[in-house]
Amino acid sequence: MNAVFLLFIILGISTQHITTKAYSTKAKGSYSFSAAKALTVLIVFIITAGRDLTFSSESIIYSVAFAISYSVEAIFTVLAIKTGPLSLTSLIGQYSLIIPTFCGLLILNEEA
């Protein structure tokens, strides 16, 4: 089942990169595209979490740090796709999925 989820993640990220390239060639709004993408993710998260959303006050610091780092990553990904070839940028981005997967399978002996 984890392999199916991993496949969906890879397909989703690939689709995201293709739409990013299509958007960046037609418009000049790296920040607006990143904001729209983050808003879409937020809406999906709120819909799936429903009223069961509970968190501790200590996690706010980590949430803010993650939000800032994700925003920076999203902006630089859009800029990289906008200025460089989609194939190379996507390949480098996919390593963020491949390396942890192989580390989990080969080094930590986790189940597939």
Side-chain angles (χ1 to χ4, degrees), residues 66-77:
F66 177 77
I68 291 169
S69 64
Y70 180 78
S71 299
V72 169
E73 180 272 334
I75 290 168
F76 280 108
T77 298

Side-chain angles (χ1 to χ4, degrees), residues 56-68:
S56 64
S57 59
E58 293 87 21
S59 64
I60 292 177
I61 295 170
Y62 297 113
S63 300
V64 169
F66 177 77
I68 291 169

Side-chain angles (χ1 to χ4, degrees), residues 4-5 10 17 20 24 26 28-30 32 40 46 49 53 55 60 62-64 75 79 89-90 94-95 99 107-108:
V4 173
F5 288 141
I10 292 169
H17 285 200
T20 301
S24 65
K26 293 182 181 181
K28 294 183 177 183
S30 301
S32 62
T40 303
I46 289 173
L53 185 61
F55 61 92
I60 292 177
Y62 297 113
S63 300
V64 169
I75 290 168
L79 292 174
T89 306
S90 294
Q94 295 301 325
Y95 284 141
I99 293 171
I107 297 171
L108 301 175

